[in-house]
Amino acid sequence: MIAKVIVDVPSRQTDRPFDYLVPFEMESWIEIGSRVGVPFGGRVLQGFVVGLAAEADIDPKRLKPVSELLDPMPPLLPDLVELAKWLSDKYCCSWTTALQAMIPAALKGKAERYVELAEEAEEGELPSELAAWLASQGGTAKLEALLERFPQHAKEVKSGLRTGAIIEHASIKDRLSIKKMLTVFLTADEETIRAAAEELPARAAKQREVLLYMLRHGGPLQMQALIAATEGSASTVRALESKGLLELREVEQQRDPYAGREFERTKPLPLTAGQQAVFERIVRSVRAGEPETMLLHGVTGSGKTEVYLQSIQYCLGLGKQAIVLVPEISLTPQMVERFKGRFGEAVAVMHSRLSNGERYDEWRKIRSRQVQVAIGARSAIFAPFESIGLIIIDEEHESSYKQEESPKYHARDVAVRRARQHGAAVVLGSATPSIETFAAANRPQPSGTAGGREPALLPMPERVGGRPLPPVDVIDMREELRDGNRSMFSRKLHELLTDRLEKGEQSVLLLNRRGYSTFVMCRSCGYTAQCPHCDISLTYHQKTRVMRCHYCGHAEQAPTKCPSCESEHIRYFGTGTQRVEEELAKLFPGIRVIRMDVDTTTEKNAHEKLLKQFGDRKADVLLGTQMVAKGLDFPYVTLVGVIAADTSLNLPDFRAAERTFQLLTQVAGRAGRHHLPGEVVIQTYSPEHYAVTTAQHHDYAAFIAEELRHRGAMGYPPYCRIILITMSHEQLTLLSSVGEQFASRLRELAEEQGILVPLNSGLPKAFDVLGPVASPISRMKDRYRFQCVIKYRGSIDASALIREALAPFTDGPPQRQVQFSVDVDPQVIL
């Protein structure tokens, strides 16, 4: 049997399967999706089996055998191997990169080199101390350990490898092992053990105590826990083992991030008429077993989560599994509580704040069919389920569903593709759907698909209980400034904060910018503190008095004098979350503030701890960046304040207005979700902008109409598709030259296919190459950056065209030094 293996070779592009002979003893174990160690270029490397065949594509005499099988159960299912190939083709990345994105970090193994003494090695062929040490290690040791112990004999080791006195072999080792704990078991029934305890001599009182403790707890106990509980020792337990009364075994322990937590079990709630209609539509699709994508457009507080829960319950009843994606780690604690409360141990949780061990064990629960529901961030879309019936993407509009490193996939598109493989339903939920999704949902579906010509749009326009959406006040900060108010808080927001403090109610304040101030400037000469490695200003963090670049991580102490003119007139401009927190303390003495941003949530479980404190009413104000804008549900939040609505409005990105509207609408939805009415205050310098005015009236339809008009005039999605190609290099002249060559090559290929046509031509197929030009951030991490933007529409395989155009630029100097990054359907063009 021949295994077709994609080999993980980071140093070069080997993006094709290689044939390897499967040894007879491995034939019944190796499957598509198996992880293997294979010889490659004198090394043993990790690879993935992507196919099996009876015959090889090369001369059988040249075949090398698979060195080792790394897992008894393949970590990847055949559908995931197929999905990885689709990812590779669509997002212009290597097949290896796509496969690696699907497995936990713990399984991204590396080869370790071992050496052993050859049986035929002659005495004196190696230094005696080196040979003696190898013999003391059982004849085998890591090469790295050998060289570390005997650095003076490096030449002799190299010579021994050449002459055959030392034999080298390699093995793939994972980054993490399965956790095992020494566990104590009783070897007989209660009556026998109790009788044996009574017969122990007086001097063995501690042994008797250990036995009786084991009887009281009636089952296996971890060795460490038993010793701690009885204040005994390992020798006491070992003595009982020698008497045949106890047995010690290594037992696998799963690292459960929620061990010891009890979740209050919940029952399905009565559904409103709107919820019931949506629920019935979803379960009809799940029951049909045909792939279908639906947009659940429900206002904030309309009860989308309860619809998710009951739809999943129906899916599990059919013997199928479900995947739920959430955009932010901060949303996960509340979602986990709801899902664990409803489905208990049937839920696995996967997100980046878990340790590698915890993520690995949660992944193993899925792979071994111990759970039926996976909830997590975008990578949870690769959960190794075998029979998926439902995929839910909550807050589908969020840009965090787009991976920014290769493979630059969008979880929404991957979900639709995976649903097609499994015959599953996809539910995209949001109060503010992305424009592309909303436009697609309003296009009639082709006849013959699930639902016929019925648009896959599921509206829920009302809040549960008929509660109204909160009124929104838009404050023109220009007027505040004219009236002498130089505070970051408008008079209206100050008044309402005071009112909430007096009533004992809670408030949420949003400022989508962390740090103390946006930039540091000298008022004498105009000097601005810039990152030495990127074309971006440094952000000042008051707590550490450090200026930091939020792109490359460069940090330096804030100056007391201007480095340019030595003036002492250094000032901090702009407003960050730290500064807002400081101002709140000044204006409202005794106010209790919880700040949530990247700086305060670095520790494990920090999100959960902070949100629990706020939920327990141990704070008056929750202040944060966009992570506080969505998904959170607290009954005593009656005021939401947006400090600066213009933060994202003026970015050089065609999605700036859409993101602003979404953020304002989502954060406004945090107020008045329960029995207390809510209010919202939006502070802005652009009160007339349509993103602000439509958010003020919770008018998604009006926003969509205006935004589509702008997008159509400028030729942006959903009227076309976009691919962003970014090139970078340390030398500007080389980068400019290669950029022009690449763009010229791409235009030639498009012209050969007859599709190099401007979008405004009106033809059904169009392909336009814009650039290369300097990127908006033209230098990052000491590398200059150019970009090309490709706009296209119609049935064009743009990714294939780009792969072909890139081929000459990925091999050989000097072009090989230029880094190319391809972003299909980018969320940010910076």
Side-chain angles (χ1 to χ4, degrees), residues 755-770 791-793:
I755 58 173
L756 188 65
V757 178
L759 289 179
N760 59 10
S761 65
L763 295 176
K765 285 188 178 182
F767 186 95
D768 206 357
V769 181
L770 309 177
K791 291 183 174 183
Y792 67 100
R793 70 164 172 261

Side-chain angles (χ1 to χ4, degrees), residues 469-755:
L469 289 165
V472 179
D473 275 327
V474 173
I475 306 300
D476 187 346
M477 295 303 284
R478 298 170 300 185
E479 291 293 333
E480 293 288 312
L481 195 61
R482 291 190 194 103
D483 292 342
N485 180 16
R486 298 184 178 277
S487 165
M488 65 181 67
F489 298 105
S490 63
R491 289 164 295 185
K492 178 74 172 181
L493 183 55
H494 186 284
E495 173 190 324
L496 292 177
L497 279 169
T498 303
D499 177 67
R500 284 352 183 237
L501 289 171
E502 291 173 353
K503 291 178 178 177
E505 296 172 1
Q506 293 178 297
S507 306
V508 171
L509 295 180
L510 168 73
L511 177 67
N512 200 22
R513 182 188 295 145
R514 64 191 173 104
Y516 184 80
S517 61
T518 314
F519 61 97
V520 179
M521 190 179 82
C522 172
R523 295 182 71 177
S524 295
C525 71
Y527 162 85
T528 302
Q530 296 275 342
C531 174
H533 310 291
C534 310
D535 283 340
I536 200 78
S537 59
L538 296 172
T539 300
Y540 176 61
H541 292 252
Q542 187 188 39
K543 186 174 181 180
T544 55
R545 296 194 59 79
V546 163
M547 299 184 299
R548 190 176 298 277
C549 174
H550 288 174
Y551 284 88
C552 73
H554 169 81
E556 58 186 66
Q557 287 294 317
T560 55
K561 290 185 177 181
C562 174
S564 178
C565 70
E566 297 190 353
S567 165
E568 295 183 356
H569 297 293
I570 294 289
R571 293 293 181 269
Y572 306 113
F573 290 87
T575 303
T577 47
Q578 289 181 28
R579 188 171 177 189
V580 175
E581 184 181 26
E582 182 183 278
E583 285 296 308
L584 283 169
K586 287 179 182 177
L587 292 172
F588 307 97
I591 192 172
R592 300 171 301 168
V593 179
I594 289 177
R595 177 164 59 91
M596 277 188 71
D597 55 27
V598 176
D599 298 323
T600 63
T601 55
T602 53
E603 293 181 7
K604 185 178 178 181
N605 299 326
H607 293 85
E608 187 169 3
K609 291 174 184 174
L610 293 175
L611 291 176
K612 187 176 187 310
Q613 289 175 21
F614 191 67
D616 292 342
R617 303 183 70 184
K618 294 180 179 177
D620 307 303
V621 173
L622 178 63
L623 162 67
T625 53
Q626 63 179 0
M627 62 179 70
V628 306
K630 47 199 169 286
L632 304 181
D633 189 351
F634 296 105
Y636 291 94
V637 171
T638 60
L639 174 64
V640 166
V642 180
I643 304 297
D646 314 280
T647 307
S648 58
L649 194 57
N650 298 314
L651 291 175
D653 192 323
F654 73 90
R655 287 193 174 92
E658 180 183 8
R659 288 216 178 88
T660 299
F661 173 82
Q662 288 167 341
L663 192 62
L664 296 179
T665 303
Q666 291 287 342
V667 75
R670 300 315 104 204
R673 297 174 67 91
H674 292 265
H675 58 288
L676 296 172
E679 286 183 84
V680 181
V681 174
I682 295 176
Q683 299 182 166
T684 177
Y685 289 92
S686 309
E688 66 286 342
H689 196 285
Y690 65 92
V692 177
T693 58
T694 52
Q696 179 182 14
H697 298 102
H698 307 282
D699 195 343
Y700 180 81
F703 171 76
I704 282 287
E706 185 66 17
E707 182 67 7
L708 285 174
R709 189 176 67 78
H710 284 277
R711 298 274 185 99
M714 300 301 294
Y716 281 118
Y719 298 100
C720 72
R721 301 285 294 277
I722 286 180
I723 297 178
L724 174 68
I725 301 174
T726 304
M727 301 153 271
S728 68
H729 194 269
E730 294 91 344
Q731 296 178 21
L732 183 58
T733 52
L734 176 62
L735 176 63
S736 176
S737 172
V738 171
E740 291 290 349
Q741 292 173 42
F742 167 75
S744 176
R745 165 82 175 154
L746 187 57
R747 289 188 180 100
E748 287 174 9
L749 292 172
E751 195 164 14
E752 288 173 9
Q753 294 188 19
I755 58 173

Side-chain angles (χ1 to χ4, degrees), residues 317-332:
L318 296 177
K320 298 183 179 182
Q321 298 110 21
I323 297 174
V324 182
L325 301 189
V326 293
E328 293 271 3
I329 297 168
S330 60
L331 290 182
T332 310

Side-chain angles (χ1 to χ4, degrees), residues 78-96:
D79 74 297
L80 287 173
V81 173
E82 179 191 332
L83 184 67
K85 185 66 174 75
W86 176 82
L87 276 173
S88 169
D89 292 340
K90 178 177 174 63
Y91 295 104
C92 300
C93 68
S94 70
W95 201 349
T96 300

